[in-house]
Structures are given as structure tokens and as C-alpha cells.
């Protein structure tokens, strides 16, 4: 956790972008650029817990970079804004980037507890919600050209990741609307989220290898590691089958979870989302065993000590956004901290048997500084 905090937080650069500092993925390739997954979805919501003004500014700047692309014609926002903010990349088409933005920026705004930040981001979030609404297909799920893997693996016309991010983003936006006493809009977005949850179950719920889990897209008959996503956003109807599928011989390997059964590719981002989802679903002992195995492997293995992008592609480059995902295994997984307002959050802490306590201190969120102290017989905030 300490190493991950450093890796996620050190990758800040002064740039020509109007507001200055930006967080970048790194890896000797992606400097002075932001992405709708790495910065908007992964890093920003974690930085909102740190209270670090540099990280908070860099996160906010990433959200600002995409607002000029949110046009009245509801064209896709780019996947990445590059070259210090003067150009963009959208080579994989619409990856579900508006869903990533809706999810990441809503959680960032809620967690900071800053009404000024929330007010600035609210129009962009409403734009993303409307964009996703217009991308609904006949099955009621959210269509996109690809996903964050950018056609390295098939994702169909509508994938599980885009729809689950939209679902959680709608709930976050509803909470923000309620903070500004916009009850009618809050109810609308909650209703859309409820309808989308039902559509996710109907469209993606599927038995694979005898396990009641999810298919990644219509017609997909291979297990994918991103089937963890419903667990990460509070959809637990298929918890048992999904955990069994993730931990099966088809996906789980010593180095992490395969992107797709039968492949050799492992991305730490889906591995870390998987660990977070298994914790959040209450499968605490299983999750801790996997987290300890992963942590030992990264700290003491061939490449140390950070999360990596992909293997064999990229030669295990140590990108910074994935390290933020490690931190979120604790905050959003083991503690299951979810913002519900500018000054409120829910928590569902579970302490594994192997630990007698877990203290997360000096959290700067929701307009306060506080600790979460988890012990064998009690927990305190």
C-alpha cells in the first residue's frame, strides 16, 4: 500500500495545459497525456482521499481536459488528451469513455466534499449520463465500439464493463444532484440505474462452465477477468458463481488473472479490480489470500515493487494508474467505502481472520480529516 501510494502520486508533471499540472500513466511512453481510464476512472477517485493539493489539482485538470469535447451533437469524447492538452487520440473509437468519466468524476466530486468542484463538474456529468442514455441498445445496456483494451480482445457491440461503470456513475450523479437539492433529477438517474441493473442481469447474466456468472458480451462463451465488475459496483446476485469463475483454472494464474481463458495475457488493472470486487462481495478470506499472493509476487518477484500494465505486452511496464487501483483494493474493497453525498459515505468493513486490526489514518475526504479503525470486535470512524 505504501509503495502504491508513492507510485500513483509521484507521476505528476508541469505542462503547457492551462491549469498546469497533470497526472500521467508513465511507462516511458505516456507522459503529458491523460486517459479516461488511467486518470479519470482509476487515479482521480483515489486522489480524492489524500488531501494532497497537487494530486487534487492534477485530478481535476484531467476532468477539465475532456469538457471541451462534450458537444451538443453528443459525439464520443476522446479516449486520451495528449501532447500537454493540444491534441487527442481516439484510435479505438468509443471505448465507453463517457461511462468511465461518469463513474470517475462523480466519485471524485463526492469524495472531495467540495461544492465548488462538484458544481464545476456537474454539467459534464449530466452530459455523460445523457450520452450513455443515447447509447442504450434494444437490450437496455450501453453500447460502445470497444473497451479499454482497445480491440486487443473482442468486446462485442456492448460490453459488461461499460454498462457497470454507467450504473455506478448514475448512482454517483444522483447523489450529487441531491446535494444540490435537484430531487427530480436525482430520482431520474436512480431510475435509470435500476433499469440498467436489471438489463445487466438479463443481458450479461450467463452460465459458463457450469458457473452462474456473466458473459462479457453477447455471444461470448469464454470467461473474462472483467466479469468482476458487477461485484465492484454492488451487484451481488451472481457473487458465488462469479468468484468461483474468477478463481477457477480458467482464469487464475500465479501472476494474476488472465484477461481471457485460454490466453496468456495478464493485466494488473483487471487483477486489482477482481481483488477489490471479491473483498466488496464479502468473500474476505479468499480475497486476502489472493491479495497476499499478488503483493508478495510484486514486492519480491522479477519486477518490483509496483503494479504493472500488461504481460507479455509492454514487458511489465509499471504504470502509475494501476498503483492507485491497489490502494482502492483497501478503500473500496476491504473497507467498501462508497461516497453517497458530499459529506456522507457508506462503509462495510470486513476484517480477515489473519489480521487483528487494520487502521487507515489521515483520510481527507467529504470535507473532513478522519481515521477508519478496524479491529477484531469493532470498527470506528
Amino acid at each position: 500500500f505504501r509503495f502504491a501510494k508513492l507510485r500513483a502520486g509521484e507521476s505528476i508533471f508541469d505542462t503547457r495545459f492551462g491549469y498546469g499540472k497533470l497526472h500521467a500513466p508513465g511507462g516511458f511512453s505516456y507522459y503529458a497525456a491523460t486517459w479516461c481510464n488511467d486518470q479519470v476512472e482509476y487515479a482521480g477517485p483515489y486522489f480524492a482521499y489524500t488531501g494532497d493539493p497537487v494530486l487534487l489539482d492534477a485530478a481535476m485538470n484531467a476532468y477539465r481536459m475532456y469538457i471541451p469535447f462534450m458537444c451538443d451533437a453528443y459525439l464520443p469524447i476522446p479516449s486520451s488528451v495528449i501532447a500537454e492538452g493540444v491534441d487527442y487520440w481516439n484510435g479505438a473509437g468509443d471505448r465507453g469513455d463517457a461511462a468511465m468519466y461518469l463513474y470517475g468524476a462523480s466519485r471524485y466530486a463526492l469524495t472531495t466534499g467540495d461544492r465548488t468542484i462538484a458544481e464545476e463538474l456537474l454539467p459534464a456529468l449530466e452530459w455523460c449520463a445523457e450520452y450513455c442514455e443515447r447509447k442504450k441498445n434494444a437490450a437496455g445496456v450501453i453500447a460502445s465500439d470497444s473497451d479499454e483494451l482497445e480491440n486487443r480482445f473482442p468486446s462485442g457491440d456492448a460490453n459488461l464493463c461499460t454498462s457497470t461503470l454507467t450504473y455506478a456513475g448514475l448512482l454517483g450523479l444522483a447523489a450529487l444532484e441531491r446535494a444540490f437539492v435537484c430531487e427530480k433529477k436525482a430520482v431520474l438517474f436512480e431510475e435509470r440505474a435500476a433499469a440498467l441493473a436489471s438489463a445487466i442481469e438479463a443481458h450479461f447474466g450467463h452460465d459458463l462452465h457450469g458457473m452462474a456468472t456473466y458473459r462479457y458480451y453477447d455471444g461470448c462463451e469464454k470467461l473474462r477477468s472483467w466479469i468482476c465488475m458487477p461485484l465492484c459496483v454492488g451487484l451481488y446476485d451472481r457473487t458465488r458463481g462469479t468468484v468461483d469463475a474468477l478463481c477457477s483454472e480458467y482464469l487464475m494464474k500465479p501472476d494474476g488473472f488472465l484477461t481471457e481463458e485460454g490466453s496468456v495475457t495478464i493485466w494488473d488493472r483487471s487483477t486489482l479490480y477482481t481483488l477489490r470486487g471479491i473483498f466488496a462481495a464479502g468473500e474476505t478470506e479468499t480475497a486476502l489470500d489472493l491479495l497476499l499472493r499478488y503483493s508478495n509476487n510484486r514486492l519480491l518477484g522479477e519486477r518490483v515493487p509496483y503494479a504493472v500494465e500488461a504481460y507479455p505486452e509492454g514487458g511489465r511496464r509499471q504504470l502509475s494508474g494501476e498503483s492507485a487501483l491497489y490502494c482502492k483494493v483497501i478503500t473500496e474493497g476491504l473497507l467498501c467505502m462508497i461516497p453517497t453525498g458530499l459529506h456522507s459515505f457508506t462503509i462495510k468493513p470486513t476484517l480477515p481472520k489473519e489480521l487483528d486490526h487494520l487502521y487507515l489514518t489521515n483520510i481527507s475526504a467529504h470535507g473532513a480529516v478522519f481515521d477508519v479503525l478496524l479491529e477484531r470486535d469493532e470498527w470506528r470512524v
Side-chain angles (χ1 to χ4, degrees):
F1 189 87
R2 292 189 179 108
F3 277 124
K5 284 194 300 181
L6 290 171
R7 180 63 185 130
E10 71 185 355
S11 189
I12 306 291
F13 300 88
D14 282 319
T15 72
R16 288 178 294 173
F17 179 65
Y19 292 93
K21 290 180 170 56
L22 293 175
H23 182 265
F28 293 105
S29 294
Y30 307 114
Y31 296 106
T34 63
W35 295 75
C36 278
N37 47 336
D38 294 71
Q39 279 65 52
V40 170
E41 178 191 338
Y42 302 168
Y46 168 69
F47 290 160
Y49 286 103
T50 67
D52 186 305
V54 174
L55 299 184
L56 291 169
D57 286 348
M60 191 64 186
N61 291 341
Y63 296 125
R64 289 177 173 131
M65 294 186 89
Y66 294 89
I67 294 175
F69 297 95
M70 297 178 183
C71 62
D72 292 340
Y74 286 94
L75 301 174
I77 59 175
S79 303
S80 177
V81 182
I82 66 172
E84 302 181 79
V86 302
D87 204 349
Y88 66 90
W89 181 88
N90 62 353
D94 175 12
R95 307 180 308 157
D97 298 286
M100 299 175 195
Y101 192 103
L102 180 62
Y103 172 84
S106 64
R107 292 209 167 185
Y108 174 83
L110 288 168
T111 303
T112 61
D114 188 319
R115 293 185 68 86
T116 302
I117 285 175
E119 192 170 19
E120 181 177 347
L121 291 177
L122 195 56
L125 290 165
E126 291 177 342
W127 186 94
C128 289
E130 178 60 25
Y131 178 89
C132 292
E133 181 70 12
R134 295 180 182 212
K135 296 295 288 186
K136 273 188 179 177
N137 65 15
V141 296
I142 313 303
S144 59
D145 298 326
S146 62
D147 63 3
E148 65 149 7
L149 295 183
E150 299 162 3
N151 296 312
R152 292 174 177 87
F153 289 81
S155 58
D157 297 324
N159 64 77
L160 181 63
C161 200
T162 297
S163 289
T164 49
L165 289 174
T166 302
Y167 165 78
L170 287 170
L171 292 179
L173 176 54
L176 274 177
E177 298 286 7
R178 193 160 278 124
F180 286 95
V181 200
C182 297
E183 184 65 21
K184 187 175 180 179
K185 286 184 177 180
V187 171
L188 170 65
F189 294 129
E190 286 171 343
E191 289 174 346
R192 288 185 183 178
L196 184 53
S198 297
I200 288 170
E201 169 61 27
H203 185 72
F204 295 110
H206 197 60
D207 283 9
L208 288 168
H209 302 296
M211 294 173 283
T213 183
Y214 300 91
R215 58 185 176 184
Y216 191 56
Y217 58 89
D218 185 20
C220 181
E221 294 299 325
K222 290 184 178 181
L223 287 172
R224 297 283 289 270
S225 55
W226 284 116
I227 60 172
C228 67
M229 287 302 296
L231 305 183
C232 294
V233 299
L235 299 175
Y236 301 131
D237 289 344
R238 292 176 175 262
T239 294
R240 180 72 271 146
T242 301
V243 173
D244 287 345
L246 291 165
C247 296
S248 70
E249 61 181 329
Y250 301 105
L251 289 178
M252 191 169 70
K253 301 298 177 184
D255 205 36
F257 295 89
L258 293 175
T259 298
E260 179 179 83
E261 68 168 282
S263 73
V264 296
T265 302
I266 291 173
W267 287 68
D268 268 6
R269 57 193 67 181
S270 58
T271 292
L272 292 167
Y273 260 107
T274 294
L275 295 175
R276 170 182 147 194
I278 296 174
F279 268 124
E283 299 287 331
T284 310
E285 304 306 323
T286 298
L288 183 68
D289 288 344
L290 297 172
L291 180 61
L292 292 176
R293 181 192 306 177
Y294 173 90
S295 302
N296 284 327
N297 190 20
R298 286 294 178 270
L299 284 168
L300 304 175
E302 292 180 32
R303 296 291 296 275
V304 293
Y306 308 120
V308 300
E309 181 183 21
Y311 183 79
E313 177 187 332
R316 295 194 176 108
R317 285 184 297 195
Q318 297 169 342
L319 301 193
S320 58
E322 281 81 349
S323 287
L325 291 180
Y326 186 100
C327 297
K328 292 168 76 170
V329 172
I330 306 302
T331 56
E332 297 183 34
L334 199 152
L335 295 173
C336 203
M337 296 170 62
I338 307 297
T340 57
L342 291 174
H343 304 295
S344 63
F345 64 97
T346 59
I347 185 170
K348 187 180 66 176
T350 51
L351 189 64
K353 294 176 182 177
E354 291 85 346
L355 303 180
D356 59 6
H357 75 279
L358 185 145
Y359 295 164
L360 199 63
T361 60
N362 198 33
I363 303 167
S364 297
H366 301 291
V369 180
F370 58 94
D371 306 331
V372 174
L373 307 177
L374 185 57
E375 298 175 346
R376 176 55 51 205
D377 298 322
E378 65 175 358
W379 60 271
R380 291 168 289 143
V381 176

